[in-house]
Amino acid sequence: MFAGWQTFYQMTGEAAATLTGLLFVIISLVAGREGSVNSNGARLFTSPIVFHLTSVLVISGLALAPCGEPHAPIVLITVWSLGAFAYATRNLIGILRMPETSHWSDLWFYGVAPFAAYAVMMGAEAGAFLHWPFAIYTVALGLLLLGIRNAWDLATFLAPRRSGSQNGS
């Protein structure tokens, strides 16, 4: 089913795993901040980034795993995407209920884009059953790019706001 796509899935899986590790470094930057700020931000912003990168890693692993049944990886990816869609829906609702968001783009990149990506992924799996492997390729690449964008956004938001910084923030 995914013949010829091994290099792509290996690259995206490695990138997702590496970025997930780097995100833990970012999280350590906020270890001394106020608890309510950390828990709300972790729940609505940090944790979803890790989840989306993990989704890319899972999709890549399932695509690369040797399997005798040609549709087994697609079925497993479908099950994963149903759960991911529910998770993205919960996060979108949480962001919409926030009294204030730090920037207008947070709603779109942390809420709407992941929700749409997992909705498209469910359609892409139908395409994969029709032997269109590029369908899942496109969604995996989109999730990876979204994870990179959101991790960078979070890092640039948190880094200048470390407690005890020289500029008095």
Side-chain angles (χ1 to χ4, degrees), residues 45 57 60 62 73 80 82 89 96 104 106 116 119 126 131 139 152-153:
F45 298 105
L57 185 59
S60 298
L62 289 171
W80 179 270
L82 288 171
T89 301
L96 288 171
W104 65 267
D106 290 346
H131 300 286
V139 176
W152 180 255
D153 178 64

Side-chain angles (χ1 to χ4, degrees), residues 1-2 59 74-75 77-85 114-140 143:
M1 176 56 161
F2 294 104
I59 291 167
I74 301 303
V75 170
I77 292 171
T78 301
V79 170
W80 179 270
S81 67
L82 288 171
F85 182 76
F115 176 83
Y118 290 116
V120 169
M121 181 183 281
M122 289 186 290
E125 282 134 14
F129 274 112
L130 298 172
H131 300 286
W132 299 340
F134 64 86
I136 295 178
Y137 157 83
T138 304
V139 176
L143 284 171

Side-chain angles (χ1 to χ4, degrees), residues 23 27 30 34-52 86-100 110-111 114 154 158:
L23 195 55
I27 292 168
V30 297
E34 180 184 325
S36 64
V37 172
N38 282 341
S39 68
N40 198 20
R43 188 176 59 79
L44 290 174
F45 298 105
T46 307
S47 296
I49 295 170
V50 173
F51 183 82
H52 305 320
Y87 181 74
T89 301
R90 184 186 70 111
N91 285 336
L92 176 58
I93 291 168
I95 290 171
L96 288 171
R97 288 184 178 168
M98 285 181 65
E100 63 182 55
Y110 290 96
L154 190 66
L158 294 175

